[in-house]
Amino acid sequence: MINQPILTIVVPCYNEEEVFQATYKQLREVMLHLITECHIHPESKILFVDDGSKDSTWQLIETVYKQDDLINGLKLSRNFGHQRALLAGLEKANTYSDCIISIDADLQDDIDVIKEFVLKYLEGYDIVYGVRESRKTDSFFKRTTAIGFYRIMEKLGLPLIYNHADYRLLSKRAVETLLQFKEVNLFLRGIVPLVGFKSTKVFYDRKERLAGESKYPFKKMISFAFDGLTSFSVKPIRFITILGFLSAVVSVIAGIYVFIEKLLSHPVSGWASIMISLWFIGGLLLMSIGLIGEYIGKIYEEVKQRPRYIIDQSLLHEIHTQQDLEQKQKVLN
Ligand code: UDP
Ligand code: MG
């Protein structure tokens, strides 16, 4: 009895009213199974984090919280983005849980492997990564851009787990360690592997979104990828330096060419080539400045040390652990 861990499943939700009921029912089912099979503590919870939704998501969370002891809710003061909503959930849940699983509200990730996550945890793993076996159900566009993203990240030397999104189990101490990473620019997928500890992977098939639309349109995806890139690697800056060096070499060669032309007293014929290189160098410069600016912006944000999320309301059921009960018993005696 004592060895059963308290599990919390953290579910960030942004405008998810269309899928909420289905998600709630399915996750609840899984939880109840795990509890009756004695894999997890009966006080385990599902924590829905409302990331400043504009629809009725929070009202739905409140309603199920009132009806169901299994459900906790957290409301952020505004929309902070998936990563921060998740972080808020992790931090809150870690105050009372032994292990935490994070999953998207649309249940694109197979909930049947939650049990495997827990079993791995019970075997002594601190981090269990859910890894997509195939991307059949993603659109062609999403699939290719995602694969490209992992390729680029790999080239840049980032320790990303291939085809792993934010579906994973973390032990209490893994979350505690994660929370010591204080950067405002969060990219959990990049940070979690840096935590270390004993980790493993569980494979599953990714499904279609239950309902509603992807909250990651193209623009957000690009900025997410770019954020991930510049948060973890200075290699892009190095690349720019090399490019600058190369273009300098090219211009020296061009200079020599012009000089020789002059010695041979050919008529000046280089207007076009001069214009081209002018634009080329100009473009290169602007690009370099932009990129360096991007990093300075990052530093600026980090230096300000703003809170990563703000909690508006938290609905948490009181947890009665075995220890609590024993403590109470002692006080009574
Ligand atoms: N999400 C969030 N805040 C946001 C955007 C998304 O909390 O600003 C949540 C969303 O509710 C979902 C998860 O993050 O649970 C992943 O979003 P989505 O399924 O739209 O992304 P995709 O699977 O298309 O990458
Ligand atoms: Mg999704």
Side-chain angles (χ1 to χ4, degrees), residues 5 7 34 37-40 99 101 112-126 128 169 198 200 202:
L7 166 72
L34 287 172
E37 287 173 3
C38 291
H39 291 304
I40 56 173
C99 55
I101 291 174
D112 293 333
V113 298
I114 288 181
K115 184 171 165 183
E116 275 180 66
F117 279 19
V118 173
L119 293 179
K120 291 283 181 204
Y121 169 79
L122 293 172
E123 277 175 36
Y125 289 96
D126 279 283
V128 186
L169 178 143
K198 207 173 148 193
T200 184
V202 165

PDB file of all heavy atoms in Angstrom, residues 5 7 34 37-40 99 101 112-126 128 169 198 200 202:
ATOM      1  N   PRO A   5       2.881   4.852  -5.741  1.00  0.00           N
ATOM      2  CA  PRO A   5       3.193   6.279  -5.907  1.00  0.00           C
ATOM      3  C   PRO A   5       1.939   7.095  -6.206  1.00  0.00           C
ATOM      4  O   PRO A   5       0.996   6.594  -6.815  1.00  0.00           O
ATOM      5  CB  PRO A   5       4.118   6.280  -7.119  1.00  0.00           C
ATOM      6  CG  PRO A   5       3.700   5.083  -7.916  1.00  0.00           C
ATOM      7  CD  PRO A   5       3.257   4.046  -6.913  1.00  0.00           C
ATOM      8  N   LEU A   7       0.384   9.560  -8.466  1.00  0.00           N
ATOM      9  CA  LEU A   7       0.640  10.011  -9.833  1.00  0.00           C
ATOM     10  C   LEU A   7      -0.246  11.220 -10.130  1.00  0.00           C
ATOM     11  O   LEU A   7      -1.402  11.264  -9.723  1.00  0.00           O
ATOM     12  CB  LEU A   7       0.301   8.883 -10.814  1.00  0.00           C
ATOM     13  CG  LEU A   7       0.192   9.269 -12.300  1.00  0.00           C
ATOM     14  CD1 LEU A   7       1.565   9.563 -12.870  1.00  0.00           C
ATOM     15  CD2 LEU A   7      -0.495   8.179 -13.099  1.00  0.00           C
ATOM     16  N   LEU A  34      -5.705   2.038 -13.183  1.00  0.00           N
ATOM     17  CA  LEU A  34      -4.408   1.966 -12.501  1.00  0.00           C
ATOM     18  C   LEU A  34      -4.587   1.873 -10.989  1.00  0.00           C
ATOM     19  O   LEU A  34      -3.846   1.178 -10.297  1.00  0.00           O
ATOM     20  CB  LEU A  34      -3.557   3.179 -12.853  1.00  0.00           C
ATOM     21  CG  LEU A  34      -2.973   3.185 -14.274  1.00  0.00           C
ATOM     22  CD1 LEU A  34      -2.314   4.519 -14.573  1.00  0.00           C
ATOM     23  CD2 LEU A  34      -1.967   2.053 -14.422  1.00  0.00           C
ATOM     24  N   GLU A  37      -5.957  -1.580 -10.075  1.00  0.00           N
ATOM     25  CA  GLU A  37      -4.903  -2.602 -10.219  1.00  0.00           C
ATOM     26  C   GLU A  37      -3.761  -2.373  -9.230  1.00  0.00           C
ATOM     27  O   GLU A  37      -2.737  -3.063  -9.293  1.00  0.00           O
ATOM     28  CB  GLU A  37      -4.359  -2.595 -11.646  1.00  0.00           C
ATOM     29  CG  GLU A  37      -5.337  -3.182 -12.647  1.00  0.00           C
ATOM     30  CD  GLU A  37      -4.860  -3.025 -14.084  1.00  0.00           C
ATOM     31  OE1 GLU A  37      -3.740  -2.517 -14.292  1.00  0.00           O
ATOM     32  OE2 GLU A  37      -5.621  -3.407 -14.986  1.00  0.00           O
ATOM     33  N   CYS A  38      -3.931  -1.380  -8.356  1.00  0.00           N
ATOM     34  CA  CYS A  38      -2.957  -1.094  -7.302  1.00  0.00           C
ATOM     35  C   CYS A  38      -1.577  -0.702  -7.820  1.00  0.00           C
ATOM     36  O   CYS A  38      -0.566  -0.961  -7.168  1.00  0.00           O
ATOM     37  CB  CYS A  38      -2.813  -2.285  -6.351  1.00  0.00           C
ATOM     38  SG  CYS A  38      -4.285  -2.533  -5.372  1.00  0.00           S
ATOM     39  N   HIS A  39      -1.530  -0.103  -9.022  1.00  0.00           N
ATOM     40  CA  HIS A  39      -0.232   0.383  -9.503  1.00  0.00           C
ATOM     41  C   HIS A  39       0.067   1.765  -8.932  1.00  0.00           C
ATOM     42  O   HIS A  39       1.213   2.125  -8.729  1.00  0.00           O
ATOM     43  CB  HIS A  39      -0.213   0.464 -11.027  1.00  0.00           C
ATOM     44  CG  HIS A  39      -0.251  -0.877 -11.681  1.00  0.00           C
ATOM     45  ND1 HIS A  39       0.682  -1.856 -11.417  1.00  0.00           N
ATOM     46  CD2 HIS A  39      -1.106  -1.401 -12.601  1.00  0.00           C
ATOM     47  CE1 HIS A  39       0.389  -2.918 -12.142  1.00  0.00           C
ATOM     48  NE2 HIS A  39      -0.680  -2.684 -12.856  1.00  0.00           N
ATOM     49  N   ILE A  40      -0.990   2.536  -8.709  1.00  0.00           N
ATOM     50  CA  ILE A  40      -0.784   3.895  -8.181  1.00  0.00           C
ATOM     51  C   ILE A  40      -1.678   4.120  -6.966  1.00  0.00           C
ATOM     52  O   ILE A  40      -2.625   3.389  -6.711  1.00  0.00           O
ATOM     53  CB  ILE A  40      -1.086   4.980  -9.242  1.00  0.00           C
ATOM     54  CG1 ILE A  40      -2.519   4.827  -9.783  1.00  0.00           C
ATOM     55  CG2 ILE A  40      -0.087   4.928 -10.377  1.00  0.00           C
ATOM     56  CD1 ILE A  40      -2.940   5.956 -10.696  1.00  0.00           C
ATOM     57  N   CYS A  99       5.209  11.086  -8.906  1.00  0.00           N
ATOM     58  CA  CYS A  99       5.607  11.124 -10.312  1.00  0.00           C
ATOM     59  C   CYS A  99       4.516  11.828 -11.112  1.00  0.00           C
ATOM     60  O   CYS A  99       3.359  11.890 -10.687  1.00  0.00           O
ATOM     61  CB  CYS A  99       5.860   9.727 -10.850  1.00  0.00           C
ATOM     62  SG  CYS A  99       4.505   8.586 -10.645  1.00  0.00           S
ATOM     63  N   ILE A 101       2.936  12.666 -15.126  1.00  0.00           N
ATOM     64  CA  ILE A 101       2.917  12.429 -16.570  1.00  0.00           C
ATOM     65  C   ILE A 101       2.315  13.654 -17.231  1.00  0.00           C
ATOM     66  O   ILE A 101       1.301  14.175 -16.769  1.00  0.00           O
ATOM     67  CB  ILE A 101       2.070  11.180 -16.910  1.00  0.00           C
ATOM     68  CG1 ILE A 101       2.770   9.918 -16.408  1.00  0.00           C
ATOM     69  CG2 ILE A 101       1.834  11.090 -18.418  1.00  0.00           C
ATOM     70  CD1 ILE A 101       1.958   8.650 -16.569  1.00  0.00           C
ATOM     71  N   ASP A 112      -3.042   4.539 -23.691  1.00  0.00           N
ATOM     72  CA  ASP A 112      -2.863   3.166 -23.206  1.00  0.00           C
ATOM     73  C   ASP A 112      -1.448   2.903 -22.704  1.00  0.00           C
ATOM     74  O   ASP A 112      -1.220   1.945 -21.970  1.00  0.00           O
ATOM     75  CB  ASP A 112      -3.216   2.164 -24.303  1.00  0.00           C
ATOM     76  CG  ASP A 112      -4.706   2.213 -24.617  1.00  0.00           C
ATOM     77  OD1 ASP A 112      -5.470   2.589 -23.705  1.00  0.00           O
ATOM     78  OD2 ASP A 112      -5.088   1.899 -25.756  1.00  0.00           O
ATOM     79  N   VAL A 113      -0.503   3.739 -23.108  1.00  0.00           N
ATOM     80  CA  VAL A 113       0.865   3.497 -22.634  1.00  0.00           C
ATOM     81  C   VAL A 113       1.137   4.154 -21.286  1.00  0.00           C
ATOM     82  O   VAL A 113       2.211   4.011 -20.733  1.00  0.00           O
ATOM     83  CB  VAL A 113       1.940   3.912 -23.660  1.00  0.00           C
ATOM     84  CG1 VAL A 113       1.817   3.106 -24.930  1.00  0.00           C
ATOM     85  CG2 VAL A 113       1.899   5.390 -23.949  1.00  0.00           C
ATOM     86  N   ILE A 114       0.143   4.863 -20.750  1.00  0.00           N
ATOM     87  CA  ILE A 114       0.323   5.467 -19.421  1.00  0.00           C
ATOM     88  C   ILE A 114       0.699   4.385 -18.408  1.00  0.00           C
ATOM     89  O   ILE A 114       1.566   4.568 -17.562  1.00  0.00           O
ATOM     90  CB  ILE A 114      -0.965   6.209 -18.991  1.00  0.00           C
ATOM     91  CG1 ILE A 114      -1.096   7.487 -19.816  1.00  0.00           C
ATOM     92  CG2 ILE A 114      -0.940   6.520 -17.497  1.00  0.00           C
ATOM     93  CD1 ILE A 114      -2.292   8.322 -19.475  1.00  0.00           C
ATOM     94  N   LYS A 115       0.055   3.250 -18.550  1.00  0.00           N
ATOM     95  CA  LYS A 115       0.356   2.136 -17.646  1.00  0.00           C
ATOM     96  C   LYS A 115       1.827   1.719 -17.772  1.00  0.00           C
ATOM     97  O   LYS A 115       2.491   1.486 -16.771  1.00  0.00           O
ATOM     98  CB  LYS A 115      -0.560   0.961 -17.966  1.00  0.00           C
ATOM     99  CG  LYS A 115      -0.394  -0.195 -17.018  1.00  0.00           C
ATOM    100  CD  LYS A 115      -1.466  -1.242 -17.231  1.00  0.00           C
ATOM    101  CE  LYS A 115      -1.074  -2.532 -16.549  1.00  0.00           C
ATOM    102  NZ  LYS A 115      -2.042  -3.597 -16.775  1.00  0.00           N
ATOM    103  N   GLU A 116       2.294   1.662 -19.028  1.00  0.00           N
ATOM    104  CA  GLU A 116       3.707   1.301 -19.229  1.00  0.00           C
ATOM    105  C   GLU A 116       4.633   2.324 -18.578  1.00  0.00           C
ATOM    106  O   GLU A 116       5.656   1.978 -18.006  1.00  0.00           O
ATOM    107  CB  GLU A 116       4.032   1.221 -20.724  1.00  0.00           C
ATOM    108  CG  GLU A 116       3.711  -0.110 -21.344  1.00  0.00           C
ATOM    109  CD  GLU A 116       4.060  -0.131 -22.819  1.00  0.00           C
ATOM    110  OE1 GLU A 116       5.248  -0.048 -23.146  1.00  0.00           O
ATOM    111  OE2 GLU A 116       3.123  -0.187 -23.632  1.00  0.00           O
ATOM    112  N   PHE A 117       4.242   3.609 -18.695  1.00  0.00           N
ATOM    113  CA  PHE A 117       5.028   4.668 -18.053  1.00  0.00           C
ATOM    114  C   PHE A 117       5.177   4.358 -16.565  1.00  0.00           C
ATOM    115  O   PHE A 117       6.259   4.407 -15.998  1.00  0.00           O
ATOM    116  CB  PHE A 117       4.308   6.017 -18.191  1.00  0.00           C
ATOM    117  CG  PHE A 117       4.491   6.706 -19.508  1.00  0.00           C
ATOM    118  CD1 PHE A 117       4.918   6.013 -20.627  1.00  0.00           C
ATOM    119  CD2 PHE A 117       4.250   8.060 -19.638  1.00  0.00           C
ATOM    120  CE1 PHE A 117       5.087   6.654 -21.846  1.00  0.00           C
ATOM    121  CE2 PHE A 117       4.419   8.712 -20.847  1.00  0.00           C
ATOM    122  CZ  PHE A 117       4.830   8.003 -21.947  1.00  0.00           C
ATOM    123  N   VAL A 118       4.030   4.059 -15.950  1.00  0.00           N
ATOM    124  CA  VAL A 118       4.023   3.836 -14.504  1.00  0.00           C
ATOM    125  C   VAL A 118       4.857   2.602 -14.143  1.00  0.00           C
ATOM    126  O   VAL A 118       5.637   2.617 -13.187  1.00  0.00           O
ATOM    127  CB  VAL A 118       2.580   3.691 -13.978  1.00  0.00           C
ATOM    128  CG1 VAL A 118       2.564   3.297 -12.517  1.00  0.00           C
ATOM    129  CG2 VAL A 118       1.820   4.996 -14.186  1.00  0.00           C
ATOM    130  N   LEU A 119       4.712   1.553 -14.944  1.00  0.00           N
ATOM    131  CA  LEU A 119       5.485   0.335 -14.667  1.00  0.00           C
ATOM    132  C   LEU A 119       6.983   0.609 -14.752  1.00  0.00           C
ATOM    133  O   LEU A 119       7.764   0.123 -13.935  1.00  0.00           O
ATOM    134  CB  LEU A 119       5.078  -0.787 -15.623  1.00  0.00           C
ATOM    135  CG  LEU A 119       3.641  -1.301 -15.435  1.00  0.00           C
ATOM    136  CD1 LEU A 119       3.323  -2.390 -16.438  1.00  0.00           C
ATOM    137  CD2 LEU A 119       3.418  -1.801 -14.010  1.00  0.00           C
ATOM    138  N   LYS A 120       7.370   1.400 -15.741  1.00  0.00           N
ATOM    139  CA  LYS A 120       8.793   1.761 -15.871  1.00  0.00           C
ATOM    140  C   LYS A 120       9.247   2.556 -14.643  1.00  0.00           C
ATOM    141  O   LYS A 120      10.335   2.356 -14.126  1.00  0.00           O
ATOM    142  CB  LYS A 120       9.041   2.601 -17.131  1.00  0.00           C
ATOM    143  CG  LYS A 120       8.871   1.846 -18.423  1.00  0.00           C
ATOM    144  CD  LYS A 120      10.060   0.954 -18.706  1.00  0.00           C
ATOM    145  CE  LYS A 120       9.876   0.231 -20.024  1.00  0.00           C
ATOM    146  NZ  LYS A 120      10.647  -0.998 -20.112  1.00  0.00           N
ATOM    147  N   TYR A 121       8.369   3.459 -14.203  1.00  0.00           N
ATOM    148  CA  TYR A 121       8.696   4.240 -13.006  1.00  0.00           C
ATOM    149  C   TYR A 121       8.905   3.302 -11.817  1.00  0.00           C
ATOM    150  O   TYR A 121       9.859   3.449 -11.058  1.00  0.00           O
ATOM    151  CB  TYR A 121       7.590   5.247 -12.705  1.00  0.00           C
ATOM    152  CG  TYR A 121       7.731   5.910 -11.349  1.00  0.00           C
ATOM    153  CD1 TYR A 121       8.635   6.954 -11.153  1.00  0.00           C
ATOM    154  CD2 TYR A 121       6.992   5.462 -10.254  1.00  0.00           C
ATOM    155  CE1 TYR A 121       8.790   7.541  -9.911  1.00  0.00           C
ATOM    156  CE2 TYR A 121       7.139   6.046  -9.009  1.00  0.00           C
ATOM    157  CZ  TYR A 121       8.038   7.089  -8.843  1.00  0.00           C
ATOM    158  OH  TYR A 121       8.193   7.655  -7.608  1.00  0.00           O
ATOM    159  N   LEU A 122       8.013   2.332 -11.709  1.00  0.00           N
ATOM    160  CA  LEU A 122       8.113   1.393 -10.582  1.00  0.00           C
ATOM    161  C   LEU A 122       9.378   0.538 -10.685  1.00  0.00           C
ATOM    162  O   LEU A 122       9.909   0.074  -9.686  1.00  0.00           O
ATOM    163  CB  LEU A 122       6.873   0.493 -10.528  1.00  0.00           C
ATOM    164  CG  LEU A 122       5.576   1.236 -10.169  1.00  0.00           C
ATOM    165  CD1 LEU A 122       4.363   0.333 -10.312  1.00  0.00           C
ATOM    166  CD2 LEU A 122       5.653   1.813  -8.757  1.00  0.00           C
ATOM    167  N   GLU A 123       9.873   0.374 -11.929  1.00  0.00           N
ATOM    168  CA  GLU A 123      11.139  -0.355 -12.106  1.00  0.00           C
ATOM    169  C   GLU A 123      12.329   0.497 -11.690  1.00  0.00           C
ATOM    170  O   GLU A 123      13.449   0.006 -11.631  1.00  0.00           O
ATOM    171  CB  GLU A 123      11.336  -0.734 -13.579  1.00  0.00           C
ATOM    172  CG  GLU A 123      10.617  -1.983 -14.003  1.00  0.00           C
ATOM    173  CD  GLU A 123      10.758  -2.210 -15.506  1.00  0.00           C
ATOM    174  OE1 GLU A 123      11.838  -1.899 -16.074  1.00  0.00           O
ATOM    175  OE2 GLU A 123       9.783  -2.670 -16.106  1.00  0.00           O
ATOM    176  N   GLY A 124      12.092   1.797 -11.491  1.00  0.00           N
ATOM    177  CA  GLY A 124      13.175   2.651 -11.022  1.00  0.00           C
ATOM    178  C   GLY A 124      13.662   3.690 -12.012  1.00  0.00           C
ATOM    179  O   GLY A 124      14.708   4.297 -11.820  1.00  0.00           O
ATOM    180  N   TYR A 125      12.898   3.913 -13.093  1.00  0.00           N
ATOM    181  CA  TYR A 125      13.303   4.960 -14.031  1.00  0.00           C
ATOM    182  C   TYR A 125      12.781   6.307 -13.568  1.00  0.00           C
ATOM    183  O   TYR A 125      11.663   6.424 -13.079  1.00  0.00           O
ATOM    184  CB  TYR A 125      12.773   4.658 -15.432  1.00  0.00           C
ATOM    185  CG  TYR A 125      13.476   3.499 -16.091  1.00  0.00           C
ATOM    186  CD1 TYR A 125      12.933   2.218 -16.050  1.00  0.00           C
ATOM    187  CD2 TYR A 125      14.697   3.686 -16.729  1.00  0.00           C
ATOM    188  CE1 TYR A 125      13.592   1.148 -16.639  1.00  0.00           C
ATOM    189  CE2 TYR A 125      15.360   2.631 -17.323  1.00  0.00           C
ATOM    190  CZ  TYR A 125      14.801   1.360 -17.269  1.00  0.00           C
ATOM    191  OH  TYR A 125      15.452   0.312 -17.845  1.00  0.00           O
ATOM    192  N   ASP A 126      13.615   7.350 -13.729  1.00  0.00           N
ATOM    193  CA  ASP A 126      13.197   8.693 -13.337  1.00  0.00           C
ATOM    194  C   ASP A 126      12.488   9.430 -14.459  1.00  0.00           C
ATOM    195  O   ASP A 126      11.641  10.277 -14.232  1.00  0.00           O
ATOM    196  CB  ASP A 126      14.414   9.521 -12.901  1.00  0.00           C
ATOM    197  CG  ASP A 126      14.812   9.215 -11.480  1.00  0.00           C
ATOM    198  OD1 ASP A 126      14.122   9.706 -10.577  1.00  0.00           O
ATOM    199  OD2 ASP A 126      15.784   8.462 -11.269  1.00  0.00           O
ATOM    200  N   VAL A 128      10.606   8.765 -18.269  1.00  0.00           N
ATOM    201  CA  VAL A 128      10.144   7.854 -19.319  1.00  0.00           C
ATOM    202  C   VAL A 128       9.630   8.703 -20.477  1.00  0.00           C
ATOM    203  O   VAL A 128       8.685   9.470 -20.312  1.00  0.00           O
ATOM    204  CB  VAL A 128       9.023   6.924 -18.820  1.00  0.00           C
ATOM    205  CG1 VAL A 128       8.687   5.898 -19.883  1.00  0.00           C
ATOM    206  CG2 VAL A 128       9.416   6.236 -17.519  1.00  0.00           C
ATOM    207  N   LEU A 169       6.872  10.781 -18.533  1.00  0.00           N
ATOM    208  CA  LEU A 169       6.739  10.678 -17.082  1.00  0.00           C
ATOM    209  C   LEU A 169       8.013  11.212 -16.445  1.00  0.00           C
ATOM    210  O   LEU A 169       9.120  10.938 -16.929  1.00  0.00           O
ATOM    211  CB  LEU A 169       6.524   9.231 -16.658  1.00  0.00           C
ATOM    212  CG  LEU A 169       6.426   8.981 -15.147  1.00  0.00           C
ATOM    213  CD1 LEU A 169       5.397   7.898 -14.848  1.00  0.00           C
ATOM    214  CD2 LEU A 169       7.762   8.575 -14.527  1.00  0.00           C
ATOM    215  N   LYS A 198      18.241   8.052 -14.653  1.00  0.00           N
ATOM    216  CA  LYS A 198      17.964   6.849 -15.432  1.00  0.00           C
ATOM    217  C   LYS A 198      16.710   7.069 -16.288  1.00  0.00           C
ATOM    218  O   LYS A 198      15.658   7.411 -15.757  1.00  0.00           O
ATOM    219  CB  LYS A 198      17.742   5.701 -14.450  1.00  0.00           C
ATOM    220  CG  LYS A 198      18.080   4.331 -14.994  1.00  0.00           C
ATOM    221  CD  LYS A 198      17.982   3.302 -13.881  1.00  0.00           C
ATOM    222  CE  LYS A 198      17.531   1.986 -14.436  1.00  0.00           C
ATOM    223  NZ  LYS A 198      17.132   1.023 -13.426  1.00  0.00           N
ATOM    224  N   THR A 200      14.246   6.021 -19.978  1.00  0.00           N
ATOM    225  CA  THR A 200      13.937   5.013 -20.985  1.00  0.00           C
ATOM    226  C   THR A 200      12.849   5.546 -21.912  1.00  0.00           C
ATOM    227  O   THR A 200      12.308   6.631 -21.690  1.00  0.00           O
ATOM    228  CB  THR A 200      13.492   3.688 -20.320  1.00  0.00           C
ATOM    229  OG1 THR A 200      13.281   2.712 -21.328  1.00  0.00           O
ATOM    230  CG2 THR A 200      12.203   3.875 -19.536  1.00  0.00           C
ATOM    231  N   VAL A 202       9.221   4.721 -24.282  1.00  0.00           N
ATOM    232  CA  VAL A 202       8.087   3.842 -24.556  1.00  0.00           C
ATOM    233  C   VAL A 202       7.521   4.270 -25.912  1.00  0.00           C
ATOM    234  O   VAL A 202       7.343   5.460 -26.160  1.00  0.00           O
ATOM    235  CB  VAL A 202       7.012   3.983 -23.456  1.00  0.00           C
ATOM    236  CG1 VAL A 202       5.704   3.371 -23.903  1.00  0.00           C
ATOM    237  CG2 VAL A 202       7.487   3.348 -22.157  1.00  0.00           C
TER     238      VAL A 202
END
